[in-house]
Amino acid sequence: MPANPVFRRIAGSCVMAGFICGTVFIADANAADLTVVTWGGTYARSQQEAYGKPFEEKTGKTIRWVNYNGGLADIRAQVKSGDVIWDVVDVFPSDARKGCAEGLFEKLPEEVVTAPDESGTAEGDLIVPRPNDCVSPNIIWSWVTFYERGKFGDEGPKTISDFFDLERFPGKRGLSVFAQSNLEMALVADGVAPGDVYDVLSTDEGLDRAFAKLESLGDQVVFWSAGTEPLELVNSGKAAVSTGYNGRVSEAILAHGADYEIVWDGQLLEEEWFAIVKGAPNREAAFEFLKISTTPQAQAEQARWIPYGPMRRSALKIIRENEPWFHSGQTVMEHMPDREEVMARTIIANPDWWAENGTDASERYKAWMESR
């Protein structure tokens, strides 16, 4: 995972937001026309279906799919040695920024990322703006809170403030071992408007306020570090309510019949990007892959296989107008973290804030966690 403490999810495993590193999807390396590096599991399948198949059908070229553990170390080593074997890489926000600044990624021609929607625009169609000209739109995912329906009778938690209300909704709370999301959600639960979170966090008083809200949970906290653990905590009753990755929780509902209630209020929205490694051996094919993956239709198709949101608003429109959209025949719009209905109460993550302040904030959070 990325080296920055904030984005260093779980070293050596692909568990962030429900990405699972399992068997590498691989063809003969010499036979493939393009190598795409991603996170495995159902997530990789969604990309193969939505982006890979259209690419192969259009170009007649084949793709080698490779799973990795994130971060820039492998990319850095390939670029430095001049022996680049990867083409397209799925990257987290911090790596999207650091990799471009370090010259590890190709600058993308405008036509690669400007596939228009019906209004003729592209950049204005994105939920979050591109941070630089090295990356291409991929997905949106989020941190949410959730619980089992019926746990609190007919009236369960409905807001992020309810997550902290131990009197009305008693029971342990599941929190991740990462400072990110917990500090932001705590501030919104304490009355800060989602759009003001990072301004408040940038002050000593604001950071103290976030930790005071977390402290209000007392000893009613259990911590998780892998994407499956929040579900296990809630299923076992070890946590009455937990934070979790929307993709994990929604997939459990849609694919496995889990009876969870997701609280979208105060969710934290995260970005995910594609980049092309500098000196990629199949550069032109990589450009073509990104042209396809950027289109509204392909972005919508990705959500047919796993409930992460497309980066493009026009893709959300396609999903909404063609429900039931999920591959199993269920509606999926209510699981899109970037749908219009929930955005007013959504925190949009600020990777730049975490790049600047993450080390100190994470160390303080670790100390707080160890004091439980």
Side-chain angles (χ1 to χ4, degrees):
M1 290 301 176
N4 185 296
V6 178
F7 294 96
R8 188 181 63 246
R9 307 309 192 197
I10 309 295
S13 62
C14 298
V15 295
M16 185 57 170
F19 309 152
I20 307 172
C21 280
T23 303
V24 172
F25 301 95
I26 189 167
D28 184 334
N30 294 322
D33 301 299
L34 180 70
T35 297
V36 178
V37 182
T38 186
W39 303 96
T42 305
Y43 179 65
R45 183 189 178 188
S46 73
Q47 294 178 327
Q48 292 169 32
E49 295 286 342
Y51 311 146
K53 285 186 176 179
F55 169 85
E56 292 179 337
E57 290 171 1
K58 180 178 180 180
T59 66
K61 298 179 182 294
T62 58
I63 298 176
R64 179 172 70 111
W65 295 87
V66 174
N67 299 342
Y68 83 136
N69 290 333
L72 295 172
D74 287 335
I75 297 169
R76 212 176 268 122
Q78 290 181 37
V79 173
K80 184 177 180 180
S81 69
D83 185 18
V84 178
I85 59 174
W86 290 353
D87 297 306
V88 177
V89 183
D90 185 315
V91 292
F92 282 140
S94 60
D95 290 338
R97 289 159 172 79
K98 288 192 295 184
C100 190
E102 291 182 30
L104 301 179
F105 300 143
E106 295 279 356
K107 303 288 187 180
L108 301 181
E110 184 178 355
E111 64 269 18
V112 170
V113 290
T114 55
D117 66 359
E118 61 187 21
S119 68
T121 65
E123 292 286 355
D125 194 35
L126 298 180
I127 301 293
V128 293
R130 287 199 302 148
N132 52 56
D133 56 3
C134 294
V135 296
S136 174
N138 187 5
I139 61 160
I140 294 285
W141 59 273
S142 71
W143 308 73
V144 296
T145 58
F146 74 103
Y147 59 95
E148 280 193 314
R149 286 196 178 97
K151 175 70 176 179
F152 303 100
D154 294 334
E155 290 295 326
K158 293 181 173 58
T159 69
I160 189 60
S161 295
D162 292 340
F163 181 85
F164 290 86
D165 193 337
L166 296 174
E167 183 175 345
R168 291 178 60 210
F169 307 105
K172 298 275 189 177
R173 296 312 196 249
L175 288 177
S176 79
V177 297
F178 315 112
Q180 189 181 8
S181 81
N182 292 323
L183 298 183
E184 293 97 324
M185 287 173 150
L187 281 181
V188 174
D190 202 46
V192 176
D196 296 334
V197 161
Y198 291 102
D199 288 339
V200 175
L201 268 184
S202 295
T203 66
D204 291 340
E205 295 80 8
L207 199 58
D208 289 345
R209 183 176 174 182
F211 276 99
K213 191 66 176 179
L214 291 173
E215 185 65 28
S216 72
L217 294 175
D219 62 357
Q220 297 298 294
V221 182
V222 290
F223 294 99
W224 58 268
S225 59
T228 58
E229 290 177 6
L231 283 65
E232 294 165 359
L233 290 173
V234 169
N235 291 346
S236 67
K238 292 180 180 178
V241 193
S242 182
T243 61
Y245 304 132
N246 88 283
R248 284 280 190 179
V249 182
S250 291
E251 186 183 17
I253 295 169
L254 292 169
H256 305 292
D259 196 21
Y260 298 140
E261 183 72 31
I262 299 175
V263 178
W264 298 96
D265 181 78
Q267 70 167 339
L268 180 78
L269 212 64
E270 294 270 16
E271 325 159 2
E272 192 89 4
W273 304 95
F274 281 126
I276 297 175
V277 180
K278 187 74 172 180
N282 302 295
R283 186 168 172 269
E284 295 305 317
F287 287 156
E288 189 62 38
F289 178 87
L290 295 190
K291 285 181 184 178
I292 290 171
S293 65
T294 298
T295 63
Q297 185 62 42
Q299 293 252 311
E301 284 294 327
Q302 193 273 342
R304 192 186 292 278
W305 298 95
I306 196 167
Y308 294 126
M311 276 206 174
R312 300 193 62 161
R313 294 180 177 87
S314 52
L316 287 169
K317 181 179 179 182
I318 291 172
I319 296 169
R320 190 184 297 275
E321 293 178 350
N322 290 277
E323 292 274 36
W325 187 256
F326 205 60
H327 68 90
S328 57
Q330 298 156 285
T331 59
V332 75
M333 196 65 195
E334 64 268 29
H335 294 277
M336 294 292 96
D338 51 350
R339 66 193 187 278
E340 184 178 358
E341 294 89 332
V342 298
M343 288 301 290
R345 290 286 297 168
T346 290
I347 311 156
I348 298 178
N350 186 334
D352 296 319
W353 188 93
W354 282 101
E356 182 176 348
N357 303 282
T359 299
D360 291 342
S362 295
E363 288 178 356
R364 181 172 175 180
Y365 182 80
K366 181 181 179 182
W368 173 79
M369 186 171 57
E370 291 174 347
S371 71
R372 298 301 89 205

